[in-house]
Amino acid sequence: MWKVAFFTLAGAVILSIAAIFYLATSPAEDVEKPEPAQTEGNVITVQTTAQEFESITKQYLGEALNKSPLPVEIEVNTQIQVFSTLTVFSVDVPIVMDFEPIVEEGNIVLKQTAVNVGKLNIPPQTVLKLMKDAVDFPSWITIIPNDEEIFVDLSRINIASGSRVRAKEIDLKKDHIVLEVIVPSE
């Protein structure tokens, strides 16, 4: 009797591990970047630093990231780093992803440059797929695992009185970020 229970439990554990491995390594569906919204109005140019940009980012993403089952922290210095922790069988595995920001039509494309998942060798696409599935990002953030990038559609972020923001220049190595705030005309 105990042998049947043991082999049933062992089979269930092995099947669970195989299912998790299959889901984590299966190819991600193709995700396309949304078309940026066109905005017109009076333009105010704002220059900021990486530290201030990090603070703004955390303010806009704070609520979404705090509700996530996968803890996510963002740090902006000479590159953008995303930190997380994945718990596998009561073992915390640290995840560190490095991104280079690229300005594209007023929006920001975060191109992944490095990924570290503890001491495991996991493909970057898999890590981004896990993040896409586990974190409920705002509608203006699109995770594109197959291209190893995150698309931040600044044109869809609502700020005060219907104003919009677009990126003009991001050079984190020189600590130089230029954004434009578009205030709608009456």
Side-chain angles (χ1 to χ4, degrees), residues 10-66:
V13 168
I14 291 171
L15 191 60
S16 298
I17 291 171
I20 290 170
F21 181 75
Y22 172 75
L23 290 173
T25 59
S26 63
E29 73 243 17
D30 284 335
V31 178
E32 294 192 25
K33 295 177 193 171
E35 286 294 319
Q38 297 300 319
T39 53
E40 293 183 22
N42 302 311
V43 178
I44 300 170
T45 303
V46 179
Q47 184 172 333
T48 187
T49 64
Q51 184 178 7
E52 293 167 339
F53 188 71
E54 177 182 327
S55 178
I56 293 167
T57 302
K58 287 181 178 180
Q59 179 180 351
Y60 276 93
L61 287 176
E63 186 177 326
L65 299 182
N66 289 339

Side-chain angles (χ1 to χ4, degrees), residues 137-155:
F137 285 104
S139 62
W140 43 272
I141 292 183
T142 305
I143 308 280
I144 309 171
N146 292 337
D147 293 342
E148 298 178 21
E149 63 187 31
I150 298 174
F151 180 67
V152 182
D153 191 352
L154 296 177
S155 67

Side-chain angles (χ1 to χ4, degrees), residues 28-148:
E29 73 243 17
D30 284 335
V31 178
E32 294 192 25
K33 295 177 193 171
E35 286 294 319
Q38 297 300 319
T39 53
E40 293 183 22
N42 302 311
V43 178
I44 300 170
T45 303
V46 179
Q47 184 172 333
T48 187
T49 64
Q51 184 178 7
E52 293 167 339
F53 188 71
E54 177 182 327
S55 178
I56 293 167
T57 302
K58 287 181 178 180
Q59 179 180 351
Y60 276 93
L61 287 176
E63 186 177 326
L65 299 182
N66 289 339
K67 292 180 182 177
S68 167
L70 189 68
V72 178
E73 280 291 320
I74 296 174
E75 194 173 286
V76 180
N77 39 51
T78 58
Q79 60 191 354
I80 295 177
Q81 292 186 301
V82 177
F83 300 92
S84 187
T85 304
L86 184 63
T87 303
V88 180
F89 299 115
S90 300
V91 176
D92 290 339
V93 179
I95 300 172
V96 180
M97 293 179 280
D98 297 340
F99 294 93
E100 176 188 344
I102 301 166
V103 175
E104 186 177 281
E105 296 181 38
N107 294 306
I108 301 172
V109 175
L110 301 176
K111 193 70 178 165
Q112 194 169 44
T113 56
V115 143
N116 295 308
V117 183
K119 294 185 181 202
L120 303 174
N121 185 15
I122 296 179
Q125 297 93 344
T126 302
V127 177
L128 282 174
K129 182 179 180 276
L130 286 171
M131 181 177 280
K132 178 180 181 275
D133 294 341
V135 180
D136 188 22
F137 285 104
S139 62
W140 43 272
I141 292 183
T142 305
I143 308 280
I144 309 171
N146 292 337
D147 293 342
E148 298 178 21

